[in-house]
Amino acid sequence: MQYESASVSERRTMPPAVAVSTVAFALRPPLGAVLGSTAGAEGVGSGRAPTLWIPLVRRTRAPFQGLWALPGGPTRWNETLADTALRSLHAAVLRPPGYLEQLYSFGGVERSAEAQRLVTIAYWALYGEHDLAASPSLAAPSPADDDGAPSAAARWDDAAPAAGLEPDPADADEAGDTEPADPNVAWFSADDLPALAFDHAEIVAYALERLRSKTEYSAIAHRFLGPVFTLGQLRAVHEAVRGEPADPANFRRQELARGTLVDTGEFETGTPHRPARLYRFRDPHEPGPRRPASGPTPPQRTAPNSELPKKGTS
């Protein structure tokens, strides 16, 4: 896809192009990643307030050459939109996300200014610690078999996506073409983002709003955490997503009162401090705990005979 300038008459006759951009969130960057946020980089492992991290790629061609942008690109003839999101995200992170969901469509008439009109389908993804702990892979999932036919094993939500073609360096996309392990890929704190190309700042803001509206759902926190976790780790997720600190005592009391957590009876290991209890999320079909009554049950009030309805009356 070329973003060359076009005259008004040319733009009126050119059909809109379709691209995909993805906002990927993680609690911390993978080991060895390039960090683009000065303030955010100081917070990694320093005990500072948790923050969300987002991978960005630096554009290597016009328009917006040199600016940072979201991973993305045009969808290919044999790809679904989710396939495109997964492929372009894998080119930047070298690992598949644990969760991917379509976010919104951005199709403003002047998004591309002097170029062909562009409609972007935005996705948002979550990388849990176990996702980023996986070994990086240069081979991205491919949406097609060797004969060019679409492959059912290449969908983003498959348990084991098939390895296939690496990103084609001849493809141009919104985020700039990046080869695996490209130095132009960096992770930024969501609280310290640089100027972004196109309207990607608006896309990131919308994704943050959507994520924060889902913090009450345990499934979102579950994507960031492993199968078991401490209450401190769960609180760190809520603080990073909401962008504000939470009182540890109040958070503990509120989360345990929800009845969605199960005490595994185990404790974390390998910590220099007192080991904390490990919890897991209760399965939706798993019976919940019986909550004790808040106090003695008040006696039932019996109406006197004069207050009882007479027979035959309502």
Side-chain angles (χ1 to χ4, degrees), residues 1 17-21 72-85 87-88 118-119 121 143 171-173:
M1 181 186 301
V18 178
V20 171
S21 292
T75 186
R76 296 173 177 173
W77 70 271
N78 59 345
E79 289 180 328
T80 66
L81 295 173
D83 289 330
T84 306
R87 172 176 56 80
S88 57
L118 181 67
V119 175
I121 311 300
D171 281 344
D173 60 35

Side-chain angles (χ1 to χ4, degrees), residues 84-141:
T84 306
L86 179 60
R87 172 176 56 80
S88 57
L89 187 57
H90 190 284
V93 185
L94 304 182
R95 300 164 179 85
Y99 182 81
L100 184 71
E101 179 183 332
Q102 192 172 127
L103 177 67
Y104 197 70
S105 299
F106 295 82
V109 175
E110 297 300 327
R111 292 185 70 242
S112 306
E114 300 177 355
Q116 178 183 6
R117 184 181 177 186
L118 181 67
V119 175
T120 293
I121 311 300
Y123 278 76
W124 64 294
L126 301 181
Y127 277 96
E129 294 189 6
H130 54 290
D131 299 320
L132 294 178
S135 299
S137 172
L138 299 182

